Amino acid sequence: MNQFKRYFLLISILLFTAVQSYAADAQQRFPKPEFDSGYTQPPTTASSPRMIFLEYLDVFILFVVLSVVTWFVLKRRSRRGVFWTSVFSLLYFGFYREGCICSVGSVQNVVLGIVDPTYAIPLTALLFFLLPLIFSLFFGRTFCAGACPLGAIQDIVVLRPIELPKWIQKVLGLIPYLYLGLAVLYVATKSEFIICRYDPFVGLFRFDAPYNMLILGILFLAVGVFVARPYCRFFCPYGVLLGWMSKFSSKHMTITPSACIQCKLCSNSCPFGAIDEPVVETGKRRSNVNRLMTYFILLPLWVGIGGFAGSMMHVPLSRFNQTVYLAEQIVEHPEVKNDPKNIDVRTFMSSGKSTEQLVVEADAIRRQFYWGGWMLGGFMGLVIGTSLIGLSKFRKRTDWEPNKTNCLSCARCMDYCPVKKE
Amino acid sequence: MSDNKEPKSIERRRFIRSGMQMALAVSLGGVAGISFLKATPKDMVWQIDPFKCVQCGRCADECVMTPSAVKCVHAYALCGYCDLCGGYLKPDANARSTAAENQLCPTAAIKRKFIEAPYYEYEIIEDLCIGCAKCVAGCTSFGNGSFHLQIRHNLCKNCNDCAIARVCPADAIQRVPADTPYLIKGDFTKGGKGKKA
């Protein structure tokens, strides 16, 4: 009982001092006057954000659009239907919703939700991430065909598509993996969301953006007249995940509704180079198998080399983190401490934090980048190794078939196919 | 499929495909499960913590919107209604008047209204405000700090990654739940941080 009393006393003393110090804070320089004229202060206005109901409506519309476009691709086999659905998506998710939030960027929210204990991912963002992947796992990349505003704006300008050499497509096709890896790295180190920062089209959707963002968007569209959907094929990090899902999808679209008659009419219809030609194994079987085995054995080596290279890159990579950059500046150029124009340094100096503290923090972040660099590099090594294996393995194919990883399910090839449904 | 000659290899391919599909479904489900544990049914919006803000002026330049979605708001309960207002008048103003050369605000977005001697009310005209924080700096260093910056949600596009938050030197911009979207300075004596005036 006595102990309880003591605690009570202690707590009340603490409370009292807390209240006192609070009251000291409350002392204003110029207390609010007491007016004689009966003046009442106006309220501080605060306009409310978008209603939460509308955010869930967006998720619902995404679900409906995905269902509709999947139906158009798989059941109706209608390019026109897919096209007009994508125009709707462009108008709604692009110009009306102004590009945020989109499934492509939601990758970062999911990663941040996992690594940052203080961040609670909104359910709507999580659903924007999951829905297209789930659809892709069953029906292929129908999201790319008709629900993605970034894809839709590029699809409209595909006017004079040229066919890129296969090796260029393969090499450029590695960029999305790197982009995805970097995006995850920068989110995991709580640096920034690079996918959003370098989104080329969000400025066009808003008719307002920083200069370089607009230039980037216009450039992508200009290139996109000839190289069909360049962002989707050679940059989109979300496309990597969609490709994985689509590769093993059970009901992916087919070019022919029934048996292929080998007419080759579809062969030039795909502007994305996503139709695989029939192949038969060439060369000696024995040497082919040997080559494949060699590539399998080399796979760990690629991962190791990649990881090592990635870890070597951790210093320049970490420079994009604000804390690391600030610490580097202060350590390497101490004279910036006296530069009144350097806002970051000025703010840091007046924050009362010591340089040692900052350096410790920056070192911790740099260590994260070191291990992140290993993982990113290892991942890239794995990707390169697997694509080498993919190039050297023969899979007997007798018909013209969509490449399930790269096919965007746009349904162009279907128009060219003379075979009709039985 | 036209080749019926190799039913074994077709069967093998189908087995691998459905096996991989299952594996992908499980991993996707895993990611979804982990995320669901921490997900919030609310939406999140960006807001400035006025107690962290250092009035550096980047809000005016870095927002994807022109003019910025960041505006100055006035917590009237905190205002001293001074005649010599540090947020309204330039430090070297030659008179306490509404003359343009005396105003600190570059866009004349603050309206000064006489109430009774010697008190004046200051109102922000948000259509003119560009969020440069000059008045906020003046009010915070010479007055009570009743002027402060807030992100206006009728203007903010709620970018997934706020372009100002990325460069804010004081890390004053943070995500807040959309049902309490403002951190307007209240009356210090009443509520303290985050309470509406």
Side-chain angles (χ1 to χ4, degrees):
Chain A
M1 206 61 205
N2 204 9
Q3 203 162 12
F4 176 76
K5 256 188 192 165
R6 205 187 293 156
Y7 272 120
F8 184 76
L9 198 68
L10 192 71
I11 287 171
S12 38
I13 288 171
L14 275 176
L15 266 179
F16 184 71
T17 46
V19 166
Q20 271 215 321
S21 62
Y22 206 65
D25 274 344
Q27 201 73 24
Q28 289 164 19
R29 287 182 188 136
F30 308 99
K32 192 181 165 188
E34 282 170 19
F35 298 105
D36 302 324
S37 56
Y39 166 82
T40 49
Q41 68 175 44
T44 307
T45 54
S47 51
S48 37
R50 204 160 172 267
M51 274 190 295
I52 186 73
F53 156 73
L54 290 173
E55 304 288 336
Y56 281 94
L57 185 70
D58 287 344
V59 177
F60 179 70
I61 288 177
L62 177 71
F63 178 75
V64 171
V65 166
L66 279 169
S67 308
V68 167
V69 74
T70 306
W71 179 73
F72 271 128
V73 172
L74 294 179
K75 286 274 177 249
R76 288 295 305 276
R77 302 176 59 81
S78 155
R79 166 68 193 152
R80 182 179 290 206
V82 172
F83 177 76
W84 287 111
T85 321
S86 80
V87 169
F88 169 79
S89 298
L90 176 60
L91 293 177
Y92 186 81
F93 294 114
F95 289 104
Y96 168 64
R97 288 296 296 123
E98 299 182 311
C100 265
I101 179 174
C102 76
S103 300
V104 181
S106 69
V107 180
Q108 302 162 115
N109 299 62
V110 172
V111 176
L112 189 62
I114 291 170
V115 299
D116 186 351
T118 62
Y119 174 70
I121 180 174
L123 200 54
T124 48
L126 182 57
L127 290 171
F128 258 79
F129 172 75
L130 288 176
L131 278 177
L133 290 176
I134 293 170
F135 267 81
S136 191
L137 189 57
F138 291 101
F139 309 112
R141 296 169 69 169
T142 50
F143 169 77
C144 303
C148 180
L150 306 176
I153 196 170
Q154 293 173 84
D155 209 82
I156 286 174
V157 300
V158 179
L159 299 173
R160 293 274 177 277
I162 53 165
E163 202 185 332
L164 292 179
K166 271 274 181 291
W167 67 270
I168 291 187
Q169 290 192 34
K170 279 281 175 207
V171 173
L172 290 180
L174 294 175
I175 299 174
Y177 293 92
L178 184 62
Y179 199 178
L180 178 69
L182 282 173
V184 172
L185 177 66
Y186 280 115
V187 175
T189 53
K190 292 167 205 167
S191 307
E192 58 172 310
F193 281 16
I194 57 167
I195 302 176
C196 296
R197 184 173 184 178
Y198 299 108
D199 182 334
F201 302 116
V202 77
L204 300 178
F205 294 153
R206 290 170 182 173
F207 300 111
D208 186 8
Y211 177 72
N212 40 9
M213 205 181 213
L214 281 177
I215 291 294
L216 196 66
I218 291 166
L219 205 72
F220 263 108
L221 289 185
V223 172
V225 174
F226 306 104
V227 181
R229 292 177 76 155
Y231 186 80
C232 305
R233 289 158 73 199
F234 306 130
F235 290 94
C236 182
Y238 191 59
V240 171
L241 303 180
L242 288 168
W244 288 344
M245 299 291 157
S246 175
K247 187 175 173 67
F248 302 103
S249 58
S250 40
K251 297 208 164 27
H252 194 279
M253 60 140 252
T254 53
I255 300 173
T256 54
S258 48
C260 175
I261 55 168
Q262 311 285 335
C263 67
K264 300 184 186 173
L265 282 174
C266 62
S267 60
N268 288 324
S269 66
C270 185
F272 313 117
I275 295 181
D276 287 336
E277 297 172 8
V279 280
V280 281
E281 191 168 344
T282 50
K284 284 217 174 84
R285 174 134 194 120
R286 175 106 202 137
S287 68
N288 287 347
V289 170
N290 280 349
R291 187 169 61 221
L292 193 62
M293 291 315 289
T294 320
Y295 281 144
F296 264 112
I297 292 163
L298 283 180
L299 196 58
L301 187 70
W302 293 126
V303 175
I305 293 174
F308 183 68
S311 69
M312 299 287 281
M313 291 291 289
H314 80 281
V315 173
L317 282 176
S318 67
R319 218 160 270 160
F320 285 90
N321 182 291
Q322 269 195 315
T323 313
V324 175
Y325 183 68
L326 181 67
E328 238 175 50
Q329 260 190 318
I330 290 180
V331 171
E332 282 171 22
H333 310 281
E335 70 272 13
V336 291
K337 285 185 185 173
N338 306 318
D339 181 2
K341 278 187 187 146
N342 192 324
I343 294 171
D344 295 289
V345 175
R346 199 182 64 200
T347 307
F348 167 73
M349 296 305 288
S350 59
S351 72
K353 235 197 231 172
S354 71
T355 312
E356 288 73 36
Q357 261 175 308
L358 180 74
V359 169
V360 168
E361 265 176 46
D363 268 342
I365 295 172
R366 208 176 243 182
R367 185 162 299 277
Q368 291 177 353
F369 269 95
Y370 177 74
W371 293 113
W374 267 105
M375 284 185 231
L376 171 66
F379 171 68
M380 282 316 290
L382 188 67
V383 167
I384 292 171
T386 352
S387 30
L388 283 176
I389 292 172
L391 283 174
S392 60
K393 81 171 183 235
F394 282 101
R395 169 178 258 202
K396 195 179 162 198
R397 205 181 300 109
T398 50
D399 301 337
W400 302 78
E401 281 171 18
N403 179 311
K404 280 163 85 176
T405 310
N406 295 330
C407 171
L408 303 175
S409 294
C410 71
R412 280 188 178 85
C413 52
M414 293 174 180
D415 278 352
Y416 288 80
C417 186
V419 181
K420 292 294 160 248
K421 235 180 193 160
E422 282 163 354
Chain B
M1 296 271 177
S2 57
D3 57 348
N4 296 324
K5 283 178 237 160
E6 289 175 307
K8 269 241 171 91
S9 82
I10 298 287
E11 211 170 275
R12 190 183 65 227
R13 281 183 192 179
R14 188 168 301 147
F15 174 75
I16 292 173
R17 192 203 56 70
S18 58
M20 283 302 290
Q21 189 184 27
M22 200 74 85
L24 282 171
V26 168
S27 41
L28 192 60
V31 171
I34 294 170
S35 303
F36 262 118
L37 289 179
K38 276 182 59 199
T40 164
K42 292 174 200 165
D43 201 27
M44 302 298 260
V45 291
W46 296 97
Q47 195 48 272
I48 299 173
D49 184 340
F51 295 94
K52 283 189 186 169
C53 172
V54 293
Q55 303 101 34
C56 66
R58 281 186 181 159
C59 286
D61 305 327
E62 303 289 341
C63 183
V64 294
M65 301 291 295
T66 24
S68 174
V70 175
K71 303 286 174 197
C72 177
V73 300
H74 196 185
Y76 290 99
L78 202 56
C79 180
Y81 289 80
C82 313
D83 180 10
L84 179 61
C85 173
Y88 182 78
L89 297 164
K90 275 184 187 165
D92 55 348
N94 54 25
R96 278 172 231 164
S97 74
T98 58
E101 77 265 24
N102 299 330
Q103 291 190 27
L104 186 61
C105 180
T107 57
I110 306 175
K111 203 163 89 185
R112 172 176 155 113
K113 198 171 88 184
F114 176 73
I115 295 174
E116 60 182 61
Y119 302 125
Y120 289 82
E121 182 197 275
Y122 297 92
E123 188 195 342
I124 312 283
I125 305 160
E126 283 191 10
D127 289 343
L128 296 178
C129 178
I130 55 167
C132 67
K134 286 200 168 74
C135 62
V136 181
C139 180
T140 312
S141 33
F142 303 116
N144 292 346
S146 57
F147 283 151
H148 60 90
L149 294 182
Q150 288 285 281
I151 293 171
R152 284 310 197 184
H153 293 298
N154 53 338
L155 304 170
C156 175
K157 300 293 177 199
N158 200 13
C159 292
N160 202 15
D161 186 28
C162 176
I164 317 170
R166 192 157 54 214
V167 294
C168 176
D171 276 335
I173 300 187
Q174 61 212 14
R175 293 184 180 87
V176 296
D179 51 1
T180 50
Y182 287 94
L183 299 171
I184 290 177
K185 275 187 185 177
D187 175 352
F188 273 167
T189 46
K190 258 197 233 154
K193 275 194 173 189
K195 280 273 167 66
K196 268 193 179 183

